[in-house]
Amino acid sequence: QYIKKYVCFFLENDLRFTKLCRMLGKSINNNRKDNNVEKTISNGIEKNFVHQDIDTILTIKGLDEASKLVASITLEQQVKVMKNLALKKRRSTPLLRSLSFNISGKDEKLTLKQCSDVLFAMASLNFTDAALISKICDDIQVNLKGNTDIKKSTIIGSMLTSLSLLKHRDTAVLDSLTEWIVANQALCRTQAVQSLCLTLPTLNNIPMEVAAL
C-alpha cells in the first residue's frame, strides 16, 4: 500500500501524466467538495485531481483522445498505462497502437518487470504488434545476462505464459529464458518451471541444449 501511494504521488506531480489521466475521464466538477481533491496550478489555470491509486485512474471515456498524449509521457508511465488498460479490460485500439509505437521506438531498455507487464497487457487484450514484441524480446535477452535475482523467476514465468498465449515463437528468447531457469533452478519457484513446461510444447520449441543431444 505504501509503494502504491509513493508511485501515485510521484506520477501525479508530472503534469503530462495528470493531463493524460484527465483525458481518460477522471476530471471532476470544480464545485464538488471532497477531501481527496488536490489543487494543482499550471499555466495560471486551476485544476482539480482526485488523489487515488494508479490502478484506478483509467476509464473508458476519452481513450481515443488520450492516445494523442502518449508521446509526452515517460516510458515508465506508458508501460503503467498499458498495464492498467489490461487490468481494466479497456481495449482501445488507437491508444494501444499509440502506446506500442512509442514504447517500441524508445532507445531506453525495458526492465524485465516492464517486459512482463507489457506482454501481460498484450496477451490480456489480445493485441499484438510486431515491432513492440521484437523490442521486448531483445530487451529480455539483454536483462537476463548475469541476472540471478530469485524474484525474477515469477516475472519469467509470467513472460513465458504471455508468450504462449500470444502464440509468439521467438526461439532466441525462449532459449534464453530456458537457459536462465536451468541455470537458476535451485532458486526458481514452481510456477516458473510449470510455465516453461507448458510454453515450450505449446509453441513447439525445443531448447538448443535439448536439440543438440
Side-chain angles (χ1 to χ4, degrees), residues 19-119:
K19 184 177 180 181
L20 176 59
C21 294
R22 286 173 60 82
M23 293 298 294
L24 295 173
K26 275 299 184 180
S27 60
I28 63 172
N29 192 305
N30 288 338
N31 295 323
R32 178 181 174 184
K33 295 181 180 180
D34 193 318
N35 292 331
N36 291 326
V37 175
E38 294 182 356
K39 295 181 179 180
T40 301
I41 305 294
S42 173
N43 298 324
I45 300 175
E46 185 177 89
K47 300 179 181 180
N48 292 325
F49 299 100
V50 178
H51 182 79
Q52 55 189 333
D53 290 337
I54 192 67
D55 61 354
T56 64
I57 65 170
L58 297 179
T59 62
I60 195 167
K61 181 181 178 182
L63 290 180
D64 291 351
E65 291 84 352
S67 64
K68 302 173 184 177
L69 298 174
V70 168
S72 66
I73 62 177
T74 66
L75 176 63
E76 180 181 3
Q77 292 167 345
Q78 290 169 0
V79 172
K80 288 181 182 296
V81 171
M82 194 163 187
K83 179 182 178 181
N84 279 280
L85 283 174
L87 293 174
K88 295 296 181 181
K89 303 298 182 184
R90 306 301 192 193
R91 194 181 189 281
S92 168
T93 301
L95 181 52
L96 287 171
R97 286 176 178 170
S98 182
L99 286 165
S100 298
F101 176 79
N102 283 278
I103 294 174
S104 61
K106 296 281 188 181
D107 292 330
E108 181 182 351
K109 298 294 183 183
L110 293 166
T111 65
L112 287 178
K113 178 63 168 59
Q114 290 173 334
C115 289
S116 175
D117 288 343
V118 175
L119 284 174

Side-chain angles (χ1 to χ4, degrees), residues 161-176:
T161 299
S162 295
L163 289 171
S164 176
L165 292 172
L166 289 168
K167 305 297 183 185
H168 183 73
R169 185 175 181 269
D170 185 312
T171 56
V173 75
L174 289 173
D175 285 345
S176 294

Side-chain angles (χ1 to χ4, degrees), residues 136-150:
I136 292 172
C137 290
D138 289 343
D139 291 352
I140 288 174
Q141 294 184 75
V142 170
N143 284 299
L144 275 179
K145 295 179 180 178
N147 196 320
T148 58
D149 187 350
I150 184 173

